[in-house]
């Protein structure tokens, strides 16, 4: 039972992040240190769609499906989303190793890796607890 609660919390976090990117793309862009190029309009729409819309719907859909499945089904349905978060952490670690000039000392990336790993573990909890 605790595994489902952990997974729900992780999925709600991902859906919330996506929802915030839809309604407040500037705030999320600043948090992630991203910015739209003023010479090429449309950056906010792209941010709302790819980060906001995709994050929101993938996490929300997984959450809804999980609640309509057996424990075995729930354990399987959460894995693609959990592995996406794990993939983000792995890619960020690769960036920290390969892009030292662009990233500086890594700074906040260490914290993002930790967050991504925690969210991945929370979402995947039904598969291993």
């Amino acid at each position: 039972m605790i595994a489902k609660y952990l997974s729900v919390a992780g999925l709600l976090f991902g859906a919330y992040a996506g929802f915030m990117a839809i309604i407040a793309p500037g705030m999320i862009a600043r948090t992630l240190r991203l910015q739209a190029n003023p010479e090429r309009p449309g950056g906010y729409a792209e941010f709302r769609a790819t980060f906001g819309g995709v994050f929101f719907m993938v996490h929300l859909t997984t959450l809804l499906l999980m609640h309509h499945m057996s424990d075995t089904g729930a354990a399987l349905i959460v894995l693609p989303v959990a592995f996406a978060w794990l993939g983000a952490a792995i890619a960020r670690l690769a960036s920290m190793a390969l892009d030292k000039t662009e990233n500086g000392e890594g700074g906040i990336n260490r914290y993002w890796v930790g967050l991504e790993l925690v969210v991945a573990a929370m979402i995947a909890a039904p598969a291993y607890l």
Side-chain angles (χ1 to χ4, degrees):
M1 188 71 136
I2 186 84
K4 264 195 171 176
Y5 289 131
L6 285 170
S7 190
V8 166
L11 289 166
L12 286 174
F13 173 79
Y16 174 75
F19 180 73
M20 291 305 295
I22 292 168
I23 65 167
M27 180 189 73
I28 298 296
R30 284 187 300 279
T31 300
L32 299 176
R33 296 171 328 276
L34 300 172
Q35 61 187 18
N37 182 347
E39 296 174 15
R40 300 186 71 195
Y44 267 28
E46 189 63 33
F47 197 73
R48 286 181 204 265
T50 56
F51 186 75
V54 171
F55 255 62
F56 180 70
M57 291 307 295
V58 164
H59 289 83
L60 184 65
T61 302
T62 303
L63 180 64
L64 293 173
L65 289 173
M66 185 177 76
H67 279 300
H68 295 288
M69 298 185 143
S70 65
D71 287 345
T72 303
L76 292 175
I77 199 72
V78 298
L79 288 179
V81 180
F83 277 99
W85 281 93
L86 178 62
I90 291 168
R92 191 177 303 276
L93 286 169
S95 178
M96 289 169 64
L98 301 171
D99 305 325
K100 291 185 182 205
T101 303
E102 295 84 353
N103 286 334
E105 293 296 317
I108 197 163
N109 280 316
R110 288 181 281 236
Y111 299 105
W112 288 122
V113 167
L115 176 73
E116 290 157 351
L117 291 173
V118 166
V119 173
M122 288 174 66
I123 292 172
Y128 64 86
L129 288 181

